[in-house]
Amino acid sequence: MTFDYDLFVIGGGSGGVRAARVASATGAKVALAEEYRMGGTCVIRGCVPKKLMVFASGYSEMFDDARSYGWDVQDGPFDWTKFSGKMNAELNRLEGIYRKLLDGSDVEIIDARAKLKDPHTVTLSTGQDVTAKHILVATGGRPVVPDMPGSELGITSNDIFLLEDMPKSILIVGGGYIASEFAGILNGLGVAVTQFYRGAQILRGFDDEARGLVAERMREKGVDLHLGTNIVEMRAATADDLAGVQTGVPMEGGKPASLRQDSAGHGIWVKSTNGTEKVYDQVMFATGRAPNTDDMGLQAAGVEVGRRGEIVVDEYSQTAVPSIYAIGDVTNRVQLTPVAIREGMAFVETVFKGNPTAVDHELIPSAVFTQPELGTVGLTEEQARDIEPIEVYATSFKPMNHAFAGRDDRVLMKLIVSQATRKVLGCHIVADHAGEMIQLAGIAVKMGATKEDFDRTVAVHPTMAEELVTMKEPVRTA
Ligand code: NDP
């Protein structure tokens, strides 16, 4: 049987684009369909614009710090319009690069939505059917908004980059990566930020000590974080609400600062489980993401879909239909760009290079771009002590640059060590640039380095990271 293509990729995000290019380089005839903008979540409405906003936000503290170091600088307002114009130009540039890379790799780009018809056929939104020997579904995920009265008034991380104006106040719902990152970003940009998290501490699943410090520092920087709290109900604010209830921003001249020029209806009234009623300019839900599997023709083609809507795959990213594979967030394994890319490369090794390659999901380093950042690899103290006897090495201190600037920021460096093998099972860093540090510590941990290997490594002085190789005594065993 002859097919139109050797490989048809659905979805132009990080995973799909990489798989398409690498497959094409083996001589395969490849097409890729994308219904929106090339680059996917990471480039268009995720990692990249988020990190640019992290950088922008970080400058707010630098005026004070610079003055502490002898510079004569004045604080100035943040101009969202100017910044977002530049940010969008940068995203356009990156999207252009993605397209060029695909073109240069002889991948045919199809600007249309594609869905499965059968194990070897895809139907395009243009109405055309095309056939392929292999089909790779890399359609990613989307934010999920809880079903509660008025929740349609809220925005998600998709919308935040597209706002025409920065809100003066915002309520962020959720305690995961996205909620906690945007709480810090927007707080740094001058927005009055309230964060509701339904559980006992934000960043569930991360090391308790590390997430405790992140939460403490976020509060000290001005985020009004409420734990064990959720929204009961929300609706457009009325004039009475604006007159009668508290707002998410400080009062000015007897009126809430954010709403002074606005007429009723511009704010969102929120009733929370802690009994408070407040009006916020915006409410953002960062309450998790769901795989993009709706109306994809998956069931018709025989592809198994799991309870959370994810495509079920084996370790080679193969679905129940031998000709159909899936990678990235749509499989709901580990929702991280570099993981999707690796899954894409492993798919090409397996299918186009005759070298069956399972994706290694062990010991993935990652960073949460909160302020301060949290970098992590391996087991948390809580996970490790349930598995085997451990030693915990930890130090928390004021870094030199902050101490000199008169800031109270503390950082945390923490190693979890196996008593039996001496291997470093986990490394957790809360500090500026923790993301950069954990990338390097991640190599050592992945290689199976022992605590003694860390100790044998000479410190780089004076740095924060040197503490990782100078911790002599465990603070506790468990
Ligand atoms: P997460 O799953 O990390 O967090 C979702 C949060 O929303 C949790 O705190 C959860 O609470 C809460 N929540 C879920 N449902 C409700 C509800 N009905 N009402 C109130 N709260 C609710 O998802 P994110 O959207 O933050 O991020 C998705 C993924 O994207 C991450 O897991 C990560 O893999 C990836 N990502 C990575 C980044 C990075 O590498 N820096 C940055 C951003 C995203 P509970 O804990 O109680 O379940």
Side-chain angles (χ1 to χ4, degrees):
M1 185 173 175
T2 56
F3 299 102
D4 299 329
Y5 300 99
D6 298 313
L7 172 65
F8 195 96
V9 180
I10 309 179
S14 309
V17 168
R18 179 64 67 90
R21 287 175 49 210
V22 183
S24 184
T26 67
K29 188 177 180 205
V30 183
L32 181 148
E34 167 59 53
E35 63 177 334
Y36 185 55
R37 296 178 64 182
M38 204 60 75
T41 298
C42 176
V43 176
I44 303 299
R45 49 186 127 60
C47 324
V48 173
K50 181 275 303 289
K51 191 81 190 275
L52 292 173
M53 286 181 76
V54 169
F55 290 136
S57 167
Y59 282 98
S60 62
E61 285 186 335
M62 288 183 192
F63 296 107
D64 260 350
D65 286 0
R67 279 190 290 272
S68 304
Y69 278 85
W71 290 94
D72 179 14
V73 289
Q74 306 300 319
D75 291 24
F78 172 67
D79 185 339
W80 167 253
T81 310
K82 187 172 172 186
F83 169 76
S84 64
K86 264 196 93 172
M87 178 173 74
N88 284 320
E90 177 63 3
L91 302 187
N92 290 339
R93 188 182 73 84
L94 293 173
E95 184 180 1
I97 289 176
Y98 265 68
R99 284 184 176 274
K100 259 202 205 118
L101 285 172
L102 285 168
D103 258 349
S105 311
D106 288 330
V107 174
E108 186 183 334
I109 299 174
I110 299 174
D111 287 298
R113 181 176 160 79
K115 60 190 274 190
L116 298 170
K117 185 173 182 186
D118 65 42
H120 292 286
T121 311
V122 159
T123 302
L124 302 176
S125 48
T126 56
Q128 191 195 348
D129 280 356
V130 291
T131 59
K133 187 167 183 207
H134 302 284
I135 298 170
L136 179 68
V137 184
T139 47
R142 63 179 188 284
V144 179
V145 172
D147 187 14
M148 66 169 75
S151 62
E152 70 283 356
L153 296 170
I155 58 171
T156 67
S157 58
N158 281 355
D159 310 304
I160 200 94
F161 307 111
L162 304 172
L163 291 177
E164 287 198 359
D165 300 302
M166 270 282 104
K168 294 218 172 69
S169 68
I170 193 164
L171 169 63
I172 299 179
V173 185
Y177 278 81
I178 297 180
S180 305
E181 289 182 345
F182 275 98
I185 290 169
L186 296 174
N187 179 57
L189 295 180
V191 180
V193 177
T194 306
Q195 184 180 357
F196 284 179
Y197 174 52
R198 63 184 178 181
Q201 184 56 281
I202 58 168
L203 298 172
R204 184 165 61 83
F206 289 88
D207 185 87
D208 276 356
E209 205 173 359
R211 65 199 187 117
L213 179 57
V214 172
E216 180 189 312
R217 295 290 311 125
M218 283 172 62
R219 280 198 170 111
E220 282 165 14
K221 285 173 188 280
V223 175
D224 186 15
L225 171 62
H226 295 259
L227 301 174
T229 307
N230 213 340
I231 297 182
V232 178
E233 188 188 344
M234 55 195 272
R235 58 168 162 71
T238 63
D240 284 350
D241 293 329
L242 296 179
V245 300
Q246 275 187 294
T247 60
V249 293
M251 302 292 275
E252 267 179 34
K255 286 188 176 176
S258 74
L259 301 163
R260 273 171 307 137
Q261 300 97 358
D262 289 351
S263 55
H266 281 74
I268 300 170
W269 171 89
V270 174
K271 185 173 177 186
S272 66
T273 51
N274 63 15
T276 58
E277 295 174 31
K278 279 194 181 183
V279 175
Y280 302 90
D281 277 359
Q282 291 280 5
V283 174
M284 173 176 153
F285 288 101
T287 43
R289 296 174 61 84
N292 277 331
T293 47
D294 291 354
D295 190 28
M296 282 291 303
L298 294 163
Q299 284 87 344
V303 173
E304 189 189 343
V305 175
R307 211 166 44 84
R308 296 178 168 183
E310 78 279 13
I311 296 182
V312 179
V313 291
D314 67 10
E315 74 253 56
Y316 301 105
S317 301
Q318 190 173 31
T319 71
V321 180
S323 58
I324 302 177
Y325 287 71
I327 55 164
D329 287 3
V330 77
T331 62
N332 198 29
R333 285 176 284 183
V334 182
Q335 295 178 43
L336 295 172
T337 286
V339 175
I341 290 173
R342 281 180 178 250
E343 288 167 358
M345 310 265 280
F347 156 76
V348 174
E349 277 297 318
T350 303
V351 175
F352 290 95
K353 296 192 183 176
N355 174 28
T357 304
V359 183
D360 178 4
H361 289 110
E362 290 298 309
L363 293 171
I364 296 170
S366 79
V368 192
F369 294 98
T370 37
Q371 298 175 19
E373 287 177 22
L374 166 55
T376 187
V377 61
L379 299 177
T380 66
E381 180 177 345
E382 296 71 36
Q383 291 165 338
R385 73 181 177 213
D386 283 348
I387 299 172
E388 59 175 305
I390 54 164
E391 286 180 355
V392 177
Y393 294 79
T395 175
S396 184
F397 57 96
K398 258 194 214 180
M400 190 183 194
N401 56 339
H402 293 173
F404 187 87
R407 281 210 259 147
D408 279 336
D409 295 26
R410 276 187 310 123
V411 304
L412 172 74
M413 304 277 161
K414 182 167 177 180
L415 296 176
I416 314 298
V417 177
S418 160
Q419 286 189 24
T421 65
R422 305 298 300 153
K423 274 189 185 173
V424 175
L425 304 173
C427 176
H428 310 280
I429 303 175
V430 178
D432 291 348
H433 312 298
E436 304 290 345
M437 291 186 237
I438 205 67
Q439 178 68 83
L440 304 178
I443 300 171
V445 175
K446 185 79 184 167
M447 288 176 74
T450 61
K451 176 67 172 64
E452 286 64 37
D453 290 325
F454 274 65
D455 294 345
R456 283 192 295 115
T457 307
V458 174
V460 178
H461 185 72
T463 63
M464 290 186 278
E466 69 180 302
E467 299 287 334
L468 288 174
V469 297
T470 56
M471 290 186 280
K472 293 284 170 254
E473 297 298 326
V475 289
R476 57 189 165 271
T477 54

